[in-house]
Amino acid sequence: MLEAVSWVEKNFNEAPDAIFIFRDDQLLISNHAAHALQADYGLRPAYIIKLMQNVVKQRQSQTDDCFNCTVLDQAKTVIPFNLPVKGGQPLAFSLVYTDLDHEQHVYSLTLKSNDLLQRMDQLAQQRKLVQYVNRAHENERKRLSQDLHDSIAQGVYSSIMGIRHLETAAAKADTAAFDHQTKLIENQLYATLRDIKGMALDIRPAVLDSFGLSAALKALAKRLEENSGIGITVLTHDTDQLKLSEDVQTVLYRIAQEAITNAIKHAQANEINLLLVAHEHEISLEIIDDGTGFDVNQHVSFNGHSLGLLNMNERVKSLHGTFQIKSTVGSGTRVTATFPVA
């Protein structure tokens, strides 16, 4: 038990946040970070108590001079706090009030460095993004494996069986059967070749690297329009001169690919419009369909091709863009992605 108390005391004293613990307005204990703020910057505990009291007064409908009567009614209160620094920029903190013992009027005031919080948030976002990328890569491998098995492997197997029948026809000197079997094998190999080309386009369209995003989107729309019979219109404006990074172009292409595929497979859309427009210091991509729509709040992921559209949000954020899905049941869907450009 004494060892556990020692651990708690060590953790309290070495915490990076400045922690003050009070009973009423009397300071009971503070940790090393709190001592440093008092010694180095002249921070007075009475000042942060008064600051918290004033904020709570403003937030509540009734005014009460009793600090504990107002603050202790709230389990936790957070306010921004700037500590002046002579000859330098003020230090930015979040001041957090926590009720520790309501009956004994014991509470803590913690100063959390905003820079530290931002770094922790960035680390959490990076971990989340790594997990997402790993999961996305694994899902893509599963899809490729299934496509290879269901399409390419089956096509090759059918061609092998056709060749065996061809050997039989040749042995019997049956010219008609030989010619017929030859045509069947040829057609099967052409079908397998089309599947391979389709997979190659899904993995990485060569037109994107050779001719840019606008051309790649138009080629994508043409291919999906021919396969589905649904009208897909692509409109671009002032985008040819933009110098977009390869990552941004890839993400915009994948969003268009995902949105159009979902509209075809799941929304029963009759018409799909894709708009790629350059604005001042940004580029936006919109995919609008007239399909069945859905309740966005009720869907955390799509069952569509490749990476889910909602997961695209992580890739867009990693490139400092914004991503939005607007949809209403019966009124279609609008997917929008925007990226800053120089």
Side-chain angles (χ1 to χ4, degrees):
M1 182 63 181
L2 291 176
E3 187 177 10
V5 171
S6 175
W7 291 340
V8 171
E9 182 178 354
K10 182 178 180 181
N11 182 69
F12 171 77
N13 281 322
E14 295 182 1
D17 301 323
I19 305 172
F20 301 84
I21 298 179
F22 299 88
R23 176 182 288 123
D24 292 322
D25 293 345
Q26 182 67 38
L27 178 64
L28 298 179
I29 189 173
S30 56
N31 65 355
H32 294 329
H35 294 160
L37 287 180
Q38 293 179 82
D40 297 342
Y41 300 101
L43 176 65
R44 295 180 294 110
Y47 173 71
I48 58 176
I49 290 176
K50 188 66 177 177
L51 177 63
M52 182 62 72
Q53 178 183 2
N54 291 339
V55 170
V56 172
K57 282 182 180 180
Q58 293 173 3
R59 292 181 179 177
Q60 294 192 344
S61 57
Q62 62 180 7
T63 302
D64 194 330
D65 291 332
C66 172
F67 177 80
N68 294 295
C69 294
T70 55
V71 177
L72 291 178
D73 286 338
Q74 300 186 10
K76 183 171 287 189
T77 302
V78 182
I79 64 169
F81 172 74
N82 290 326
L83 182 62
V85 176
K86 290 183 179 179
Q89 293 291 329
L91 300 178
F93 296 91
S94 291
L95 180 58
V96 182
Y97 166 85
T98 305
D99 184 5
L100 301 178
D101 189 328
H102 186 75
E103 294 183 355
Q104 295 295 321
H105 298 170
V106 177
Y107 56 92
S108 69
L109 294 179
T110 303
L111 286 168
K112 293 180 174 292
S113 169
N114 286 350
D115 290 340
L116 178 60
L117 289 175
Q118 289 175 1
R119 285 197 296 272
M120 292 175 64
D121 183 63
Q122 289 173 354
L123 288 174
Q125 290 293 331
Q126 288 174 359
R127 285 194 294 269
K128 183 178 179 182
L129 185 59
V130 168
Q131 292 173 356
Y132 159 77
V133 170
N134 290 337
R135 185 171 63 251
H137 285 172
E138 190 59 35
N139 289 339
E140 197 69 2
R141 291 188 187 100
K142 288 179 181 178
R143 185 187 69 81
L144 287 173
S145 176
Q146 184 175 349
D147 286 349
L148 286 170
H149 178 272
D150 295 345
S151 179
I152 309 304
Q154 292 296 329
V156 172
Y157 179 75
S158 295
S159 298
I160 292 172
M161 295 303 297
I163 291 172
R164 290 179 181 175
H165 290 303
L166 191 65
E167 291 171 348
T168 301
K172 293 181 179 180
D174 188 341
T175 305
F178 186 89
D179 292 342
H180 176 70
Q181 195 60 40
T182 300
K183 193 63 177 178
L184 289 178
I185 295 172
E186 182 181 6
N187 291 338
Q188 181 60 61
L189 290 174
Y190 273 121
T192 303
L193 180 60
R194 284 195 299 270
D195 289 339
I196 293 173
K197 288 183 176 180
M199 291 178 63
L201 285 172
D202 285 342
I203 294 171
R204 180 71 184 184
V207 65
L208 182 60
D209 298 317
S210 301
F211 300 102
L213 181 60
S214 296
L217 291 175
K218 291 175 182 177
L220 172 68
K222 181 180 179 181
R223 178 163 62 93
L224 294 178
E225 185 177 53
E226 291 174 350
N227 293 339
S228 66
I230 297 173
I232 304 174
T233 303
V234 178
L235 298 176
T236 64
H237 181 66
D238 292 341
T239 60
D240 293 337
Q241 302 303 318
L242 289 180
K243 295 182 179 180
L244 300 176
S245 70
E246 182 177 321
D247 289 338
V248 169
Q249 291 189 67
T250 300
V251 170
L252 287 172
Y253 180 87
R254 293 303 182 195
I255 289 172
Q257 183 181 39
E258 188 75 21
I260 295 173
T261 303
N262 275 322
I264 293 171
K265 286 187 175 181
H266 307 296
Q268 290 100 50
N270 296 310
E271 183 180 349
I272 302 170
N273 292 298
L274 187 151
L275 309 175
L276 182 68
V277 180
H279 308 275
E280 186 176 5
H281 303 306
E282 70 177 21
I283 185 169
S284 67
L285 172 69
E286 288 187 290
I287 304 95
I288 308 163
D289 70 66
D290 63 351
T292 55
F294 64 99
D295 185 347
V296 177
N297 295 326
Q298 297 298 318
H299 290 72
V300 294
S301 63
F302 281 82
N303 295 319
H305 163 79
S306 188
L307 308 179
L309 264 181
L310 293 180
N311 287 335
M312 284 290 181
N313 186 41
E314 296 299 326
R315 300 182 71 181
V316 171
K317 286 196 301 184
S318 71
L319 297 172
H320 310 294
T322 60
F323 182 75
Q324 188 177 50
I325 299 175
K326 291 185 177 180
S327 186
T328 304
V329 176
S331 299
T333 300
R334 179 190 296 262
V335 176
T336 305
T338 303
F339 288 95
V341 293

